Structures are given as structure tokens and as C-alpha cells.
């Protein structure tokens, strides 16, 4: 069952999310010396960074940042999730060592299959066994997709690969790589972040109509699933669906 937190504004959402991330970071570092985090693109990096970059209590030097999905483009391309995260977050947090940031290899962007293999190799070097991210931060697409896992796509049923290529994304650019459910669902915590009136109908479907089995609904980690949304996105939810942080 998802735990939903709704906030008055995007600013208060960002503040609540920062408090949550700070707690996750502190607990992970106390337990094993670092925080492993996977981040998606879209509006998430900007919402996350609003308050996070001001936080002086987080040991950012002990973070390892991976990407939940990525477009097969160069790091300087406007479509790059890495570039979005860099501009919104990384450029304002110089404490994160460059070697702790794990983007797609630019040498592989012309070949999604090779890019996926290379990125899975990065995960295998860092994790022992199936990746167990301390925190996965995801957005929600208007069709209910997350990462680059789209409704009706065969990758929804991938069970062996940790990172898979996609060459027919319904949302451009078509060539991408994505974490698969075996990895996402092995995370200790998964947090969806979304805001705005345009998201309220899909949020309602995901939270209150589990039988639809949309990609976001198939995220069932060994830890918990949280939703950080604003009141506009939560407008159609029943009051009992919303928790207090």
C-alpha cells in the first residue's frame, strides 16, 4: 500500500521531501557508510532541488547517484536526464565527488543495447548481488509510466536484466535505457514525486484503482512506496488516502 503525503504548495512539497531524504540519508550512512540513490528526470529534479540544496545537515559527500532511466544522448544534450539533474541539483551541491555520480557512458549512446549492458556493469561493480538502492526517486508520466517503463510495453515483464534498452519509447527520444522492476522493487524505499492539477486524474487512478496495473502500480519494493504530491495533484483522492508527514 502506498503512503501518500499531500502539501499546500510545491515549495512545501519540496521541504517535506527534503526532510524525508535527509532521514533516509542519515539512516543509510549510519548503517553502511553511504546513500545509494537512483533519480529519474522530468520535473522531479527541480522539485527536489528547491530545498535540498539548502540543507546543511546532509552528508552529500557520501552519496552515490545513479539514474533510474536515461535517454541515449550525450550528457550535454537537452534531452539528457543527467543534464537536468546536473543543472537542478549537482551544480549546487559541490560536496558530491564526481566519481560518486554514475551517468550513462557517452561512448555507448549510439547503441542502446550496449548502453544498457554498460550501465548494468556499473551497477554490478557497485552492488553485491541484486542492487538494493537505499532510495529511488521517480516521477509519474501522464500515462502512468515510470522510469522508461510504459503501459503495454514488453519491458514490463522483464525479469532477468537489471538495465534494459528501449528503442521504441512512445515518448521521444525513442532510444533509452531503464532500470527494470527486479531492481526498482529491490529498493529499500521508492518515492514518487509529482505536482499540478494536470496530474490529479492519473494520481487518482494509481492510488485508488489498483486493478488497472499501470506501470507505477507495479512498483512494489521490499520497502515502502511513498507519494509526495501537492494538493492540486491530490484533488481527486479520498481523504483517508492521504497521510500526515
Amino acid at each position: 500500500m502506498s503512503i501518500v503525503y499531500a502539501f499546500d504548495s510545491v515549495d512545501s512539497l519540496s521541504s517535506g521531501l527534503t526532510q524525508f531524504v535527509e532521514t533516509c540519508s542519515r539512516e543509510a550512512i549510519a548503517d553502511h557508510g553511504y546513500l545509494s540513490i537512483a533519480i529519474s528526470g522530468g520535473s522531479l529534479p527541480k522539485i527536489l532541488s528547491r530545498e535540498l540544496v539548502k540543507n546543511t545537515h546532509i552528508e552529500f559527500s557520501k552519496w552515490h547517484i545513479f539514474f533510474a532511466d536515461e535517454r541515449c544522448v550525450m550528457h550535454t544534450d537537452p534531452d539528457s536526464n543527467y543534464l537536468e539533474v546536473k543543472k537542478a541539483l549537482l551544480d549546487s551541491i559541490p560536496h558530491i565527488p564526481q566519481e560518486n555520480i554514475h551517468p550513462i557512458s557517452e561512448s555507448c549512446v549510439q547503441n542502446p543495447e550496449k548502453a544498457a549492458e554498460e550501465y548494468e556493469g556499473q551497477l554490478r561493480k557497485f552492488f553485491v548481488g541484486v542492487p538494493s538502492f537505499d532510495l529511488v526517486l521517480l516521477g509519474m508520466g501522464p500515462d502512468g509510466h515510470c522510469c522508461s517503463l510504459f503501459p503495454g510495453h514488453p519491458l514490463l515483464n522483464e525479469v532477468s536484466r537489471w538495465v534494459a534498452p528501449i528503442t521504441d519509447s512512445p515518448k521521444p527520444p525513442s532510444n533509452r535505457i531503464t532500470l527494470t522492476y527486479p531492481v526498482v522493487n529491490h529498493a529499500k524505499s521508492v518515492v514518487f514525486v509529482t505536482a499540478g492539477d494536470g496530474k490529479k486524474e492519473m494520481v487518482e487512478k494509481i492510488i485508488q484503482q489498483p486493478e488497472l496495473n499501470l506501470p507505477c502500480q507495479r512498483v512494489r519494493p521490499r520497502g515502502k512506496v511513498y507519494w509526495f504530491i501537492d494538493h492540486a495533484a491530490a484533488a481527486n483522492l479520498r481523504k483517508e488516502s492521504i497521510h500526515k508527514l
Side-chain angles (χ1 to χ4, degrees):
M1 180 179 177
S2 297
I3 299 172
V4 181
Y5 300 121
F7 300 86
D8 291 333
S9 65
V10 174
D11 284 338
S12 60
L13 189 168
S14 180
S15 180
L17 180 60
T18 293
Q19 293 176 34
F20 183 90
V21 171
E22 179 185 334
T23 299
C24 286
S25 178
R26 182 174 61 250
E27 291 177 351
I29 291 169
D31 182 65
H32 47 266
Y34 61 86
L35 175 80
S36 58
I37 182 171
I39 304 177
S40 63
S43 61
L44 168 63
K46 290 181 180 178
I47 296 175
L48 175 66
S49 67
R50 286 193 185 201
E51 296 297 326
L52 188 66
V53 297
K54 305 173 188 176
N55 191 298
T56 58
H57 304 294
I58 295 176
E59 293 183 85
F60 288 111
S61 63
K62 296 181 179 179
W63 279 31
H64 281 267
I65 297 180
F66 293 83
F67 294 83
D69 69 323
E70 183 57 281
R71 291 83 181 268
C72 289
V73 296
M74 302 297 281
H75 295 168
T76 54
D77 191 291
D79 283 327
S80 168
N81 284 344
Y82 166 78
L83 180 62
E84 187 65 34
V85 172
K86 181 178 184 296
K87 291 191 300 182
L89 192 65
L90 302 179
D91 286 349
S92 300
I93 307 178
H95 315 298
I96 303 177
Q98 188 62 40
E99 61 267 24
N100 289 12
I101 302 168
H102 306 273
I104 190 175
S105 172
E106 289 186 301
S107 66
C108 301
V109 296
Q110 299 300 320
N111 187 329
E113 176 67 36
K114 186 177 179 182
E117 291 176 358
E118 191 279 335
Y119 206 69
E120 183 166 318
Q122 292 193 45
L123 296 182
R124 291 187 182 278
K125 287 179 182 178
F126 185 80
F127 292 99
V128 177
V130 178
S132 180
F133 281 102
D134 296 305
L135 181 61
V136 175
L137 295 174
L138 302 176
M140 179 204 74
D143 57 356
H145 85 264
C146 59
C147 301
S148 282
L149 299 167
F150 294 92
H153 197 279
L155 281 184
L156 297 180
N157 300 314
E158 177 62 51
V159 295
S160 59
R161 301 186 69 161
W162 295 353
V163 182
I166 176 170
T167 58
D168 56 353
S169 167
K171 180 181 178 182
S174 58
N175 289 346
R176 303 166 175 232
I177 63 171
T178 182
L179 297 183
T180 60
Y181 286 118
V183 172
V184 175
N185 286 339
H186 204 242
K188 294 166 186 170
S189 292
V190 176
V191 177
F192 286 96
V193 180
T194 195
D197 181 75
K199 300 297 183 73
K200 65 183 180 184
E201 291 183 1
M202 184 53 65
V203 167
E204 178 189 15
K205 289 180 179 179
I206 291 170
I207 301 301
Q208 297 180 174
Q209 300 180 53
E211 69 278 3
L212 296 177
N213 206 28
L214 293 162
C216 287
Q217 293 171 315
R218 297 173 68 147
V219 174
R220 305 181 187 105
R222 60 195 183 101
K224 295 181 179 178
V225 178
Y226 301 88
W227 285 77
F228 280 72
I229 61 180
D230 65 356
H231 282 169
N236 289 357
L237 294 182
R238 295 187 293 264
K239 289 184 179 180
E240 59 267 26
S241 296
I242 301 173
H243 297 71
K244 289 185 178 181
L245 186 62

